[in-house]
Amino acid sequence: MIKELHQKLINKEITAVDLARCYLNTIEEKDKQINAFLSLIEEEKVLKQAEQIDEKINKGENINLLEGIPFAVKDNMLALGTKTTAGSKILENYESSFESTAVKLLKDQRAILIGKTNMDEFAMGSSTENSAFFPTKNPCDLTRVPGGSSGGSAAAVKSEMVPFALGSDTGGSVRQPASFCGIVGFKPSYGTVSRHGLIAMASSLDIISPLTQSVEDAEIIFKVIAGQDSMDSTSLNIPIDLDKEKNKEFKIENSVFGLPKEYFQKGLDDVIKKKVEEAIKKIEAQGAKIKEVSLSTSLYALPCYYIIMPAEISANLARFDGIRYGGVKDLKIENLRDLYFKNRGKGFGPEVRRRIILGTYVLSSGYYDAYYKKAQQVRKLINEDFNKVFKEVDFLITPTSPTLPFKIGEKSDNPLAMYLSDVFTVGANISGVPAINLPCAWENNLPIGLQLIGSYLSDYQLLQAAKLIEKIII
Amino acid sequence: MDSKEINHLLELARIELSSQEQEKITLDLEKILDYVKQLQELDTTGVEPMTGGTSIQNICREDEVHEQKENDELKKSAFNTEKGYFKVPPIFE
């Protein structure tokens, strides 16, 4: 889609101003119902950027592939000139104080930021219902959730309010909403994209990830935002020669795809099982080798995640003190202690409080070894299991979500049921490997997603495979 | 988990909750802890803990002095500042 829009711009079939206007009009028309955006950039500022690009095109100058392409960003990434609320009351008044690296890299290409999208508070949730402001609706069925936590970004891309958006994926927060909305969501290998300016949830798991209409678009965005950054010491210099990679043609008949049997057992909706198996048959019919494999420790990825992630949250969210980033307005405060307790009690919603307390518990003396250390050891075992399986197969295929998009309100009173939404996605975060959601079927107008997982730092190979597979399966 | 334990955790995490909210969170935490308990089924004797998301270690930069300008942007969201400082209520009575 991005390449098509770019062609239209350079062929002067459409102006950058018209393109921006077209998306702004769609937002105006659709977002009253969908509620994907928390804030929008002023129309005047957006159109001014577009005008400058039109001037360049009219003068016959070359433009970048992303130049003049509008985009949206999940509201946990700082972008100068916008508020960054992370979907929380405690940051309701926080004006971004610097530019996150991923947003800066896109702006350097002169892509045009048009808004910030809704999310579960601090990226904690699988439905976007945990936003402190309002829930977002699934464009495929307005009575259902768009998934989460990057539900605003997914809904905005699905309803063509933007051609692409950034989200963040800590346990499935880009792939699961992509699955629920029927679009592509690509979680790169941990460390390939700088986290600078992404409000930290669980630092050893978080990664900024694109949500797009196609794998080709995901690859375009990934190439721009990936790279080492002095502001994030866990960011990597990916040792991959892009052009060489591009020339090496991927052949499906030379590839082995593993089906981890644990991902096709209990807890998986029958319809999803059937449709994903049909998609696998189509891939097999193209000459790919399909092999059943076992990832026995991956069944423990979710409980492992629910120790490591809250532990990191309890540390990362300690900075929200009601002082430095603004806080809850009109509190009656007596002393400093009171200020902390009231801001954090009233400023954080129930799910955020639950995870902070859980994290505090697993890190507290007497419980550290039994919970946190144990979980880190299990994480190692899961990681070894993934390493081992990728010696046998090139990629893994699994369902992305165990259920179809659920109704708004259906799971909001049952935290554990909500947590199970991430059961197939969380393993990739625990072990740091890349994974992508591809829409593979529809059931009663609801999309079903297939997840393709690659080995650590095989991002470009994974994207090449995904590009072929997305055409085969739907 | 009893109310004494919950109060201790709330104290550590600096979060004020109503008694009703405390009851709810206690029930939720019990369910979650019961769920994560299954990790105990795995034998992890002698397994080195995986402490981060990446295998890279000790990335060091040169220890150089950089001039950093006062960044007013960092303070503009605070409710209460004075002369470039954050202003907070009394710490000691």
Side-chain angles (χ1 to χ4, degrees):
Chain A
M1 171 163 220
I2 291 171
K3 279 189 179 161
E4 279 166 43
L5 294 175
H6 175 71
Q7 273 304 324
K8 283 186 179 163
L9 285 174
I10 55 175
N11 294 344
K12 298 189 186 172
E13 287 168 46
I14 186 171
T15 65
V17 167
D18 285 342
L19 186 67
R21 259 213 196 99
C22 167
Y23 284 107
L24 294 174
N25 289 344
T26 309
I27 293 172
E28 169 84 29
E29 181 196 324
K30 291 186 178 170
D31 204 40
K32 274 177 253 150
Q33 278 198 310
I34 292 172
N35 285 327
F37 284 91
L38 282 174
S39 62
L40 290 168
I41 308 283
E42 296 88 325
E43 187 170 324
E44 206 180 305
K45 278 190 192 163
V46 170
L47 296 180
K48 209 177 147 194
Q49 291 174 67
E51 276 167 27
Q52 289 168 351
I53 292 159
D54 283 333
E55 276 172 33
K56 278 176 78 174
I57 296 170
N58 288 332
K59 274 193 239 161
E61 289 177 32
N62 287 336
I63 60 164
N64 296 318
L65 187 52
L66 284 178
E67 203 153 350
I69 308 289
F71 72 105
V73 169
K74 187 178 182 180
D75 210 25
N76 60 350
M77 281 168 254
L78 274 59
L80 284 175
T82 70
K83 275 188 179 171
T84 298
T85 67
S88 180
K89 280 259 176 249
I90 208 163
L91 288 179
E92 197 171 1
N93 303 295
Y94 175 60
E95 297 278 346
S96 308
S97 40
F98 58 91
E99 196 94 275
S100 55
T101 299
V103 171
K104 182 181 180 299
L105 290 168
L106 289 168
K107 285 187 177 173
D108 286 349
Q109 296 294 312
R110 287 177 290 279
I112 303 176
L113 177 66
I114 58 175
K116 304 286 288 291
T117 56
N118 198 19
M119 54 184 286
D120 286 300
E121 185 177 0
F122 286 103
M124 301 179 201
S126 306
S127 68
T128 316
E129 292 165 292
N130 290 340
S131 164
F133 304 106
F134 42 75
T136 295
K137 292 173 187 160
N138 191 323
C140 306
D141 177 346
L142 295 174
T143 66
R144 292 174 193 270
V145 303
S149 63
S150 310
S153 284
V157 171
K158 179 63 190 177
S159 50
E160 296 183 20
M161 296 194 272
V162 278
F164 76 93
L166 293 183
S168 62
D169 193 314
T170 304
S173 277
V174 154
R175 288 160 287 155
Q176 185 257 13
S179 171
F180 275 21
C181 291
I183 58 168
V184 171
F186 170 51
K187 173 214 132 25
S189 292
Y190 179 80
T192 52
V193 181
S194 168
R195 291 179 292 111
H196 179 59
L198 168 69
I199 294 180
M201 176 186 166
S203 309
S204 78
L205 304 159
D206 296 340
I207 178 106
I208 293 175
S209 314
L211 291 125
T212 56
Q213 300 276 9
S214 68
V215 180
E216 180 183 73
D217 287 356
E219 186 182 18
I220 291 168
I221 305 310
F222 177 59
K223 280 182 180 166
V224 171
I225 62 176
Q228 200 161 30
D229 178 13
S230 61
M231 300 305 283
D232 174 3
S233 61
T234 60
S235 66
L236 300 166
N237 186 9
I238 331 164
I240 287 175
D241 181 339
L242 295 186
D243 289 329
K244 211 170 83 190
E245 252 342 281
K246 206 162 59 182
N247 293 334
K248 199 177 80 186
E249 206 192 327
F250 172 81
K251 286 205 172 67
I252 204 151
E253 58 268 32
N254 297 341
S255 298
V256 185
F257 293 84
L259 309 181
K261 60 178 183 203
E262 293 81 4
Y263 286 62
F264 291 87
Q265 290 166 356
K266 61 168 186 183
L268 175 62
D269 185 295
D270 288 340
V271 172
I272 296 177
K273 185 167 190 276
K274 184 169 156 262
K275 298 283 184 181
V276 170
E277 282 171 351
E278 280 171 17
I280 292 164
K281 289 242 159 61
K282 290 183 196 166
I283 298 167
E284 196 172 18
Q286 297 291 316
K289 200 170 167 224
I290 306 284
K291 185 175 174 183
E292 190 184 89
V293 293
S294 172
L295 272 173
S296 60
T297 57
S298 70
L299 292 174
Y300 296 92
L302 195 66
C304 175
Y305 176 73
Y306 270 91
I307 293 175
I308 287 172
M309 171 271 294
E312 295 187 19
I313 282 172
S314 76
N316 275 328
L317 270 64
R319 62 170 62 83
F320 300 107
D321 50 13
I323 299 168
R324 290 169 291 169
Y325 315 97
V328 182
K329 280 214 162 106
D330 304 322
L331 291 175
K332 262 186 81 182
I333 303 288
E334 287 174 13
N335 52 37
L336 186 65
R337 188 194 134 90
D338 205 32
L339 184 145
Y340 293 148
F341 277 77
K342 288 203 168 119
N343 264 295
R344 291 167 64 81
K346 297 265 182 290
F348 291 139
E351 182 59 31
V352 177
R353 297 190 308 231
R354 205 152 34 225
R355 295 198 196 182
I356 292 175
I357 300 297
L358 181 61
T360 307
Y361 178 80
V362 300
L363 289 176
S364 61
S365 96
Y367 299 105
Y368 183 94
D369 280 358
Y371 288 98
Y372 188 59
K373 190 179 166 204
K374 180 83 184 178
Q376 287 186 316
Q377 289 174 312
V378 172
R379 186 175 185 179
K380 180 82 177 174
L381 293 178
I382 295 167
N383 197 42
E384 283 171 356
D385 235 10
F386 270 101
N387 289 341
K388 208 160 60 192
V389 83
F390 284 121
K391 290 197 176 102
E392 286 178 56
V393 301
D394 299 308
F395 307 99
L396 295 169
I397 300 176
T398 78
T400 304
S401 160
T403 67
L404 290 165
F406 44 88
K407 293 266 184 191
I408 293 170
E410 189 180 324
K411 296 188 181 178
S412 44
D413 285 334
N414 187 347
L416 208 51
M418 189 72 90
Y419 295 172
L420 288 169
S421 304
D422 288 334
V423 67
F424 299 144
T425 48
V426 73
N429 301 81
I430 286 288
S431 67
V433 298
I436 189 166
N437 174 71
L438 304 173
C440 76
W442 291 81
E443 177 71 16
N444 299 327
N445 291 325
L446 296 174
I448 291 171
L450 172 149
Q451 179 177 229
L452 202 60
I453 308 175
S455 64
Y456 186 51
L457 296 181
S458 73
D459 299 61
Y460 286 104
Q461 290 92 319
L462 178 69
L463 288 165
Q464 302 322 311
K467 264 193 265 185
L468 285 182
I469 289 175
E470 80 175 335
K471 293 193 185 86
I472 297 170
I473 58 179
I474 204 155
Chain B
M1 200 177 276
D2 56 21
S3 68
K4 201 180 141 199
E5 198 157 21
I6 276 290
N7 274 309
H8 175 61
L9 294 171
L10 290 169
E11 181 72 28
L12 290 173
R14 300 288 187 270
I15 291 176
E16 183 178 278
L17 289 186
S18 68
S19 54
Q20 209 184 350
E21 287 168 330
Q22 281 191 34
E23 271 174 45
K24 167 94 171 83
I25 208 168
T26 310
L27 289 175
D28 289 340
L29 288 184
E30 275 170 1
K31 276 188 214 151
I32 299 165
L33 288 172
D34 193 50
Y35 175 72
V36 301
K37 209 170 60 189
Q38 54 180 295
L39 291 191
Q40 304 304 332
E41 295 164 8
L42 284 176
D43 181 8
T44 53
T45 319
V47 175
E48 191 66 23
M50 184 168 163
T51 54
T54 170
S55 50
I56 50 167
Q57 288 177 346
N58 294 341
I59 294 194
C60 300
R61 60 166 169 76
E62 290 302 312
D63 188 16
E64 293 163 338
V65 177
H66 289 280
E67 188 110 1
Q68 191 147 9
K69 276 191 289 185
E70 180 80 1
N71 188 350
D72 290 332
E73 295 289 314
L74 289 175
K75 280 176 233 135
K76 72 180 176 192
S77 302
F79 289 158
N80 215 346
T81 57
E82 197 175 310
K83 295 176 186 162
Y85 294 99
F86 294 110
K87 201 172 166 187
V88 297
I91 298 167
F92 300 110
E93 297 299 328

